[in-house]
Amino acid sequence: MEADEALLGPLRELGVPEAAARQALALTGNVSAEAAAQLYFGGLERQIAAQVGHAAVGLYQLIQEKSTGREMICQWDECGAKKVVVQGSNTAHLMDLQALALSLELPTYLVQDAGRTQVPAGSYTVLAIIGEEGIMNQVTGKLRLLN
């Protein structure tokens, strides 16, 4: 089924890439732009969750390789294993945050997407950082929570 051109505009105004908008419209039978948007953004939420999972596992594996890794993980566990998800604005912002975290000697893991979803291959999507709250706040304290 071809995408209804009249419904394409509202999706594009929401920031949905054209190919993804066409696909969402086709999959929803061109019922409405709202139905297509719900399909697209619902899928996006699942993609974000998967990317965050990749980041957490990647950082955990990276920390395990360090001589002080077990101590860091035990301390994190003893303090309640707090996790906070905040929003970066774009790839450059994620890379700047990583550079700042590394300058403060905080372990980081930057996820680079494989391109198996709607995210283009090679895109940097999520940055995981671990450290003491006071130091972490120097990196992420001014960022908005992901909602």
Side-chain angles (χ1 to χ4, degrees), residues 76-99:
W76 176 68
D77 267 343
E78 288 171 7
C79 293
K82 183 177 179 178
K83 295 160 282 307
V84 179
V85 181
V86 294
Q87 289 182 229
S89 54
N90 55 38
T91 298
H93 188 215
L94 289 179
M95 298 192 94
D96 288 345
L97 292 170
Q98 183 182 37

Side-chain angles (χ1 to χ4, degrees), residues 4-142:
D4 182 337
E5 295 295 321
L7 299 175
L8 191 61
L11 289 170
R12 297 288 291 134
E13 288 174 10
L14 290 172
V16 178
E18 184 172 347
R22 288 183 182 282
Q23 182 180 26
L25 285 167
L27 289 171
T28 58
N30 290 310
V31 171
S32 67
E34 182 179 339
Q38 287 176 346
L39 175 68
Y40 174 77
F41 288 111
L44 188 59
E45 289 171 359
R46 287 188 295 277
Q47 289 176 36
I48 291 170
Q51 296 293 316
V52 169
H54 288 311
V57 170
L59 183 58
Y60 182 84
Q61 289 172 333
L62 182 77
I63 291 170
Q64 288 285 19
E65 295 171 3
K66 295 182 177 234
S67 60
T68 60
R70 287 196 187 277
E71 181 182 324
M72 182 180 284
I73 290 169
C74 287
Q75 185 179 10
W76 176 68
D77 267 343
E78 288 171 7
C79 293
K82 183 177 179 178
K83 295 160 282 307
V84 179
V85 181
V86 294
Q87 289 182 229
S89 54
N90 55 38
T91 298
H93 188 215
L94 289 179
M95 298 192 94
D96 288 345
L97 292 170
Q98 183 182 37
L100 177 56
L102 290 172
S103 76
L104 296 169
E105 299 183 3
L106 297 172
T108 69
Y109 185 86
L110 185 59
V111 175
Q112 189 171 17
D113 194 84
R116 295 186 185 107
T117 62
Q118 295 170 350
V119 178
S123 299
Y124 292 102
T125 57
V126 176
L127 172 65
I129 309 168
I130 190 169
E132 294 179 23
E133 186 172 359
I135 299 171
M136 289 288 299
N137 282 339
Q138 293 178 45
V139 180
T140 63
K142 294 181 182 177

